[in-house]
Amino acid sequence: RITEILCDGLDEVIRSTNCWVMTNGFDGGLPRLIGSVVRKSGINVPIIGVAPWDKVKGADQLELDRSFGATISYNAVELGQQSGAAVRTREAGGGASTLASDALYMNSDHTHFIFVDSSDPGSGKKLGYNTAMQPRLVDAYTDRKKLPVVMLVVQGGLTTLDSVLTAAHGSTPIIIVVGSGGAADAINKAVFGDVDDGTEAELFEEENAEYEYKPFRTPEAAKKLATLRKLHESHDRVLITPFDWQTDEQDTLSTVMLEAIVRILCRSQK
């Protein structure tokens, strides 16, 4: 049921706004769902994946020779038939190949990809993927073009929480799909739950807290959730909008997303 609601809502939003869509580009979860919706609808809009290079399974297939503009092939089916396909990362002293155990396939329905190198090209030192890259890239483009933007949060892990926090600092309206689990439900509990003053100590400290909240019960995660709550309150409580797919039958996802954009734009003009 939740997949059906998401598909219908995304299809309506994309058709009515001719928007650009940005995801992490991997072949799973929301990025796969969005790619499938756009492909089946036949709508010609950009779907851009921003992904860490060393997390891309079969990234060696994407490495170009020195000839700029060459056509390359990325065969995920072939990769799936290979056990332990290596993902090459640049290291000091040469192009050694290493295996990223959590590497993922890229989704073929995306139209563009931006790969972020998580290693320093000079020293080969691992820098780690900056989860703020995607929301900052969105902010830079939409600010220059004077375009509205909205972030949709469905489930998600700790890295999703980082991306949401960066978007919130940039005053991007955020829609969280309540009941989808993970980061979405953790944010909903932190921002709209019964917490008196939003202090870190009160967030997710109940002994009988649900299993899905446990990854977000660390002091670091609690601090980020508390910051989200404060940012929401500082934006007159219009920054984050919950969408409960099980109860909000009168409002479609597309309506909630468009209304969230209007509310944040109206606030900025006060």
Side-chain angles (χ1 to χ4, degrees):
R1 178 59 179 158
I2 186 173
T3 301
E4 180 183 343
I5 291 173
L6 286 172
C7 286
D8 291 344
L10 289 168
D11 182 85
E12 187 174 345
V13 168
I14 294 170
R15 286 182 184 277
S16 60
T17 64
N18 197 35
C19 63
W20 288 27
V21 183
M22 188 170 289
T23 76
N24 62 23
F26 291 121
D27 190 31
L30 191 58
R32 177 193 287 176
L33 183 64
I34 291 173
S36 175
V37 167
V38 174
R39 170 171 48 81
K40 292 177 180 178
S41 68
I43 306 171
N44 185 23
V45 296
I47 314 178
I48 306 166
V50 182
W53 177 256
D54 63 352
K55 293 294 189 290
V56 178
K57 184 165 286 189
D60 55 331
Q61 291 191 7
L62 301 173
E63 289 187 351
L64 291 172
D65 295 329
R66 296 187 180 277
S67 54
F68 178 77
T71 300
I72 58 176
S73 175
Y74 179 78
N75 192 332
V77 175
E78 180 181 316
L79 284 171
Q81 296 171 348
Q82 300 172 359
S83 58
V87 176
R88 288 197 296 186
T89 58
R90 293 182 179 86
E91 297 181 357
S97 294
T98 58
L99 178 65
S101 59
D102 56 347
L104 300 168
Y105 300 115
M106 304 309 297
N107 179 258
S108 61
D109 290 321
H110 282 60
T111 60
H112 300 76
F113 291 98
I114 299 173
F115 296 110
V116 182
D117 201 338
S118 54
S119 300
D120 186 303
S123 65
K125 179 182 178 181
K126 290 288 184 180
L127 303 176
Y129 176 58
N130 186 352
T131 55
M133 171 64 76
Q134 181 178 314
R136 285 178 177 173
L137 183 63
V138 171
D139 285 345
Y141 183 80
T142 54
D143 286 348
R144 175 173 292 186
K145 296 292 185 178
K146 306 299 181 184
L147 297 173
V149 61
V150 64
M151 171 178 274
L152 177 65
V153 184
V154 182
Q155 200 178 48
L158 293 173
T159 55
T160 300
L161 182 58
D162 291 332
S163 296
V164 172
L165 189 57
T166 301
H169 278 295
S171 299
T172 296
I174 299 160
I175 308 296
I176 53 172
V177 179
V178 180
S180 62
D185 283 353
I187 293 169
N188 180 63
K189 182 174 177 64
V191 175
F192 302 102
D194 186 17
V195 180
D196 292 336
D197 60 4
T199 59
E200 300 165 26
E202 291 179 311
L203 295 173
F204 309 118
E205 292 300 326
E206 301 90 341
E207 289 297 326
N208 61 345
E210 294 86 346
Y211 172 78
E212 58 265 33
Y213 294 139
K214 288 185 179 179
F216 301 92
R217 294 175 66 190
T218 64
E220 182 181 3
K223 182 177 180 180
K224 293 174 181 178
L225 289 166
T227 301
L228 274 176
R229 182 184 178 97
K230 292 173 183 175
L231 285 169
H232 177 66
E233 292 173 348
S234 70
H235 284 75
D236 301 328
R237 302 187 68 83
V238 299
L239 181 64
I240 302 173
T241 303
F243 173 74
D244 193 331
W245 63 277
Q246 296 172 306
T247 61
D248 293 347
E249 297 181 357
Q250 72 277 14
D251 293 325
T252 63
L253 177 60
S254 60
T255 300
V256 172
M257 292 177 70
L258 294 174
E259 287 178 347
I261 294 175
V262 171
R263 283 196 299 270
I264 205 73
L265 287 176
C266 289
R267 180 189 177 277
S268 65
Q269 295 173 1
K270 288 182 179 180

